């Protein structure tokens, strides 16, 4: 449990006689997961991919980490998560290890799909986390059904589904949100509006100003939050979850953010005006959380840097483990198409 | 008791709903109305709104919601009002449901019921037999009963199966077919074909309503001194190759008969397997009788010309026997 170890170390470093401040605890946890995600994605995109150790698509959530971490930490461990392709930290929050994620990207048996699928296409029902498929928004109706099932089972839990602005143009988004609304299913819909879908800016994706504008048409309350503010996302998600648990049906959150990379590792983002990257770099969610912690006496610069060093070492170890993980044997090609009795 | 094909399916679903509280039905107009064909009639009253869920017109979300519910441990039975509309749910069926187990070891035990087939003046969008699209999708099971007995046994097996099953029901058989079926609980295994009629000179390999076209042809051929074996595939995926090959090795002549259009149809796959694995047993070419490669027309004479019939089968059979 390497991931949790570094987290505990950062806790131990606090003065033990003080009663734990829940907000400070939350901030530390959030910074841990946000930085871990960034570090793992940096390795994937800037090292392993360029070294040819990762083949296939690499999509990262750099600059968007506050969204999955804010929402993921607001959820109960029994709430069901449907991450999209820029939500890596959700896996860490649910206990999937960085080494498993790295092995997944490299197509090794140490990854959750044992090489059957790549990148963020992974899930684990024991951890209540469902794998996406590539088709954008396909998770939305499936998450609606999962939420209907929780209601059927009399559970107090809910479902959180994540997607981008571009995905909200697809029929599945509309069928799914409408179905969930009609069924009053406990579903929280979380959109990362990062201004682009591949090369397509939002104004060519939709004629309304906000993704949130699409909620009321379905009878679904919606709100817009600063997606680079961890606390804003966390609070909005908590509100949405409370709404869902009360039996009031789905709730839509639009997190305004910016994609700080090309669409994928092969894409230079030549079509994005440079000044936008500069403007959004100043709003980086990790820098903002660091500043909040230092200004409020939650952590010192030195403590934060020490935590980052531990995370880097942890990811070094994870990477070494993943690179040692074997490739699947070709005989596995034919396994698990159907239930094997 | 003589039971219709429709009633057999209804009984099968009903018994499974009683047996397992995780089984529920979801679809358009299946509750108050009892379904466009009344397959779920009476279920709302018996099982309540929780287990007989009327939905918006959203085929993709119906299948998607079924997948999501199955991942949470339920066993949904999703109804497409007509098989023709399953194309609206295509991505959920072929990309989501079919691939979860292979990709991340997540079983998706759903049944998607799809009333298919023509001969009911349904025109281009209420008559189709789209089974071949799904036979081309590893991870799915594709079932199409041709008898009332199999309809009940297979729907029960489909509901208990831990993989996604596309269950085609032939609309023309719903009320036209009435026969004795066993009492109470029984299942028919998925993945097993059946010898529907025994013979020794010619095999007609078919399924669904075409069984009865084959039977009509077989009776005429009998008078001409040709003994015809009819194989009812019952399950189209996984393919029961063994039963097909055993029959062809015995008779040395094969006709593949289906109501769906010819090109890229299920018959082509069976023909290829026979050619690969039983070539030396054949006394004549492998023949196909299928609908022509056109959309399904509405007007009665056009519709009649579209569907395979006994005469078209006889023509091929006589050619093979004279070869
Ligand atoms: C149905 C479908 N069409 C096209 C694609 C190819 N594609 C992959 S990601 C993407 C853009 C997605 O944009 P958005 O939903 O805004 O998410 P983001 O990548 O910006 O986070 C496209 C077009 C796809 N995956 N699925």
């Amino acid at each position: 449990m390497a991931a949790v170890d570094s987290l505990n170390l950062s806790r131990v470093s606090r003065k033990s006689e003080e009663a734990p401040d829940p907000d400070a605890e939350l901030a530390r946890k959030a910074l841990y997961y946000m930085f871990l995600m960034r570090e793992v994605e940096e390795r994937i995109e800037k090292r392993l991919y360029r070294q040819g150790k990762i083949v296939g698509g690499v999509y990262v959530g750099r600059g968007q980490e506050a969204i999955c971490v804010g929402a993921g930490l607001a959820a109960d461990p029994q709430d069901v998560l449907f991450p999209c392709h820029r939500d890596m930290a959700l896996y860490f929050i649910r206990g999937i290890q960085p080494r498993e994620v790295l092995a997944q990207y490299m197509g090794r048996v140490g990854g959750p799909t044992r090489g059957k699928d790549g990148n963020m296409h992974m899930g684990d029902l024991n951890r209540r986390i469902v794998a996406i498929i590539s088709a954008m928004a396909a998770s939305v109706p499936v998450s609606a059904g999962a939420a209907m099932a929780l209601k059927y089972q009399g559970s107090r839990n809910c479902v959180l589904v994540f997607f981008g602005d571009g995905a909200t143009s697809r029929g599945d988004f509309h069928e799914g949100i409408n179905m969930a609304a009609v069924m009053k299913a406990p579903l929280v819909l979380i959109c990362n509006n990062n201004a682009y879908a591949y090369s397509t800016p939002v104004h060519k994706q939709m004629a309304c100003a906000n993704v949130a504008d699409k909620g009321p048409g379905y009878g679904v309350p919606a709100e817009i939050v600063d997606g680079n503010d961890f606390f804003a996302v966390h609070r909005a998600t908590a509100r949405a979850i409370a709404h869902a648990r009360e039996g009031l049906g789905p709730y839509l959150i639009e997190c305004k953010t910016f994609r700080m990379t090309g669409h994928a590792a092969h894409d230079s983002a030549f079509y994005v005006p440079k000044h936008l990257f500069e403007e959004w770099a100043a709003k980086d969610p990790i820098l903002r959380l660091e500043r909040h912690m230092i200004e409020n006496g939650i952590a010192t610069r030195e403590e934060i840097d020490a935590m980052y060093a531990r995370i880097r070492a942890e990811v070094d170890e994870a990477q070494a483990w993943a690179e040692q993980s074997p490739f699947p044997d070709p005989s596995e090609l034919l396994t698990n198409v159907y239930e094997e009795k | 008791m003589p039971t219709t094909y429709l009633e057999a399916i209804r009984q099968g679903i009903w018994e499974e709903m009683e047996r397992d509280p995780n089984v529920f039905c979801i679809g358009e107009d299946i509750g108050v109305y009892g379904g466009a064909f009344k397959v779920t009639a009476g279920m709302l009253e018996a099982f309540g709104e929780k287990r007989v869920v009327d939905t918006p017109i959203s085929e993709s979300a119906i299948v998607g919601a079924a997948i999501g519910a199955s991942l949470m441990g339920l066993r949904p039975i999703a109804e497409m009002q007509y098989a023709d509309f399953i194309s609206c749910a295509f991505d959920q069926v072929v990309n989501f449901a079919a691939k979860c187990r292979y990709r991340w070891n997540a079983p998706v035990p759903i049944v998607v019921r799809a009333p298919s087939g023509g001969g009911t003046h349904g025109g281009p969008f209420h008559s189709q037999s789209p089974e071949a699209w799904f036979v081309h999708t590893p991870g799915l099971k594709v079932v199409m009963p041709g008898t009332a007995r199999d309809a009940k046994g297979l729907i029960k097996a489909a509901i208990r199966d831990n993989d996604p099953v596309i269950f085609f029901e032939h609309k023309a058989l719903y009320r036209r077919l009435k026969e004795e079926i066993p009492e109470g609980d029984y299942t028919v295994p998925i993945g097993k074909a059946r010898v529907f009629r025994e013979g020794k000179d010619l095999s007609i390999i078919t399924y669904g309503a075409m069984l009865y076209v084959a039977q009509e042809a077989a009776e005429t051929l009998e008078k001409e001194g040709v003994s015809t074996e009819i194989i009812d595939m019952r399950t189209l995926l996984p393919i029961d190759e063994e039963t097909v090959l055993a029959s062809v090795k015995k008779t040395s002549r094969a006709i593949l008969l289906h109501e769906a259009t010819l090109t890229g149809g299920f018959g082509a796959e069976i023909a290829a397997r026979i050619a690969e694995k039983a070539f030396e047993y054949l006394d004549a070419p492998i023949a196909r009788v299928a609908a022509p490669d056109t959309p399904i027309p509405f007007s009665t004479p056009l519709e009649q010309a579209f569907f395979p019939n006994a005469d078209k089968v006889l023509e091929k059979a006589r050619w093979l026997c004279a070869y």
Side-chain angles (χ1 to χ4, degrees), chain A residues 252-276:
Chain A
L252 172 63
I253 301 171
E254 176 180 6
C255 304
K256 300 275 195 195
T257 185
F258 196 73
R259 196 188 70 200
M260 294 301 290
T261 64
H263 169 60
H266 68 268
D267 171 14
S268 69
F270 64 87
Y271 47 84
V272 179
K274 282 249 162 13
H275 71 92
L276 288 176

Side-chain angles (χ1 to χ4, degrees), chain A:
Chain A
M1 295 288 281
V4 175
D5 281 354
S6 310
L7 184 58
N8 287 341
L9 283 175
S10 78
R11 280 204 195 110
V12 172
S13 75
R14 304 304 308 153
K15 290 190 204 95
S16 54
E17 64 270 24
E18 277 176 24
D21 168 359
D23 247 24
E25 278 296 293
L26 182 62
R28 274 194 288 276
K29 233 187 202 179
L31 188 64
Y32 169 79
Y33 284 118
M34 285 163 67
F35 190 81
L36 177 62
M37 170 171 165
R38 185 161 300 179
E39 183 63 24
V40 172
E41 288 193 337
E42 294 269 318
R43 301 289 173 106
I44 286 170
E45 190 192 39
K46 297 191 174 151
R47 271 197 231 168
L48 296 166
Y49 178 77
R50 290 181 192 169
Q51 291 167 355
K53 289 178 181 162
I54 290 173
V55 293
V58 165
Y59 316 88
V60 296
R62 190 179 314 127
Q64 304 181 192
E65 294 91 344
I67 299 167
C68 57
V69 175
L73 291 179
D76 178 279
Q78 288 301 309
D79 292 333
V80 182
L81 305 178
F82 284 71
C84 82
H85 53 290
R86 304 198 196 273
D87 298 316
M88 184 183 281
L90 291 176
Y91 294 89
F92 300 143
I93 290 171
R94 286 295 162 95
I96 292 175
Q97 299 299 309
R99 65 182 190 208
E100 296 174 86
V101 172
L102 287 161
Q104 162 87 359
Y105 273 78
M106 289 192 278
R108 309 300 175 99
V109 296
T113 69
R114 298 183 61 83
K116 289 280 180 68
D117 205 340
N119 57 50
M120 298 296 285
H121 289 199
M122 51 191 169
D124 182 345
L125 287 175
N126 294 323
R127 296 184 156 105
R128 309 279 267 182
I129 190 158
V130 174
I132 40 167
I133 67 167
S134 279
M136 291 294 121
S139 282
V140 180
V142 180
S143 68
M148 288 160 65
L150 293 179
K151 193 170 162 182
Y152 186 105
Q153 291 162 335
S155 162
R156 60 174 288 282
N157 285 110
C158 67
V159 177
L160 284 72
V161 62
F162 299 77
F163 47 86
D165 42 283
T168 69
S169 301
R170 276 218 57 234
D172 267 2
F173 168 77
H174 298 271
E175 286 197 17
I177 190 172
N178 181 58
M179 176 82 82
V182 169
M183 303 294 169
K184 282 213 178 311
L187 179 65
V188 177
L189 300 116
I190 300 174
C191 177
N192 78 73
N193 181 348
N194 61 11
Y196 283 87
Y198 210 151
S199 70
T200 306
V202 171
H203 72 269
K204 287 191 178 172
Q205 195 67 243
M206 58 198 215
C208 52
N210 306 294
V211 170
D213 299 345
K214 302 183 188 190
Y218 295 105
V220 173
E223 65 173 288
I224 297 172
V225 299
D226 177 348
N228 285 24
D229 178 346
F230 162 78
F231 291 105
V233 175
H234 188 267
R235 280 192 301 268
T237 309
R239 277 193 292 280
I241 289 175
H243 177 92
R245 292 212 210 290
E246 267 175 57
L248 300 174
Y251 194 103
L252 172 63
I253 301 171
E254 176 180 6
C255 304
K256 300 275 195 195
T257 185
F258 196 73
R259 196 188 70 200
M260 294 301 290
T261 64
H263 169 60
H266 68 268
D267 171 14
S268 69
F270 64 87
Y271 47 84
V272 179
K274 282 249 162 13
H275 71 92
L276 288 176
F277 285 122
E278 286 154 19
E279 277 167 44
W280 282 89
K283 301 185 211 168
D284 183 87
I286 292 183
L287 294 182
R288 277 168 76 175
L289 185 56
E290 283 181 358
R291 207 177 310 131
H292 169 89
M293 291 170 74
I294 293 169
E295 280 169 9
N296 291 281
I298 295 169
T300 64
R301 181 75 254 168
E302 293 68 32
E303 284 171 327
I304 289 172
D305 289 341
M307 181 173 83
Y308 288 174
R310 284 193 298 275
I311 289 173
R312 285 196 191 94
E314 181 191 329
V315 180
D316 284 342
E317 250 178 67
Q319 187 181 329
W321 184 92
E323 290 192 49
Q324 290 304 307
S325 175
F327 281 106
D329 188 90
S331 65
E332 290 197 31
L333 169 69
L334 301 180
T335 61
N336 232 14
V337 178
Y338 297 99
E339 181 178 30
E340 289 167 9
K341 285 172 189 158

Side-chain angles (χ1 to χ4, degrees), chain B residues 307-319:
Chain B
F307 288 108
N309 56 31
D311 285 341
K312 293 176 189 175
V313 175
L314 285 170
E315 193 185 318
K316 292 277 180 176
R318 288 173 186 141
W319 174 56

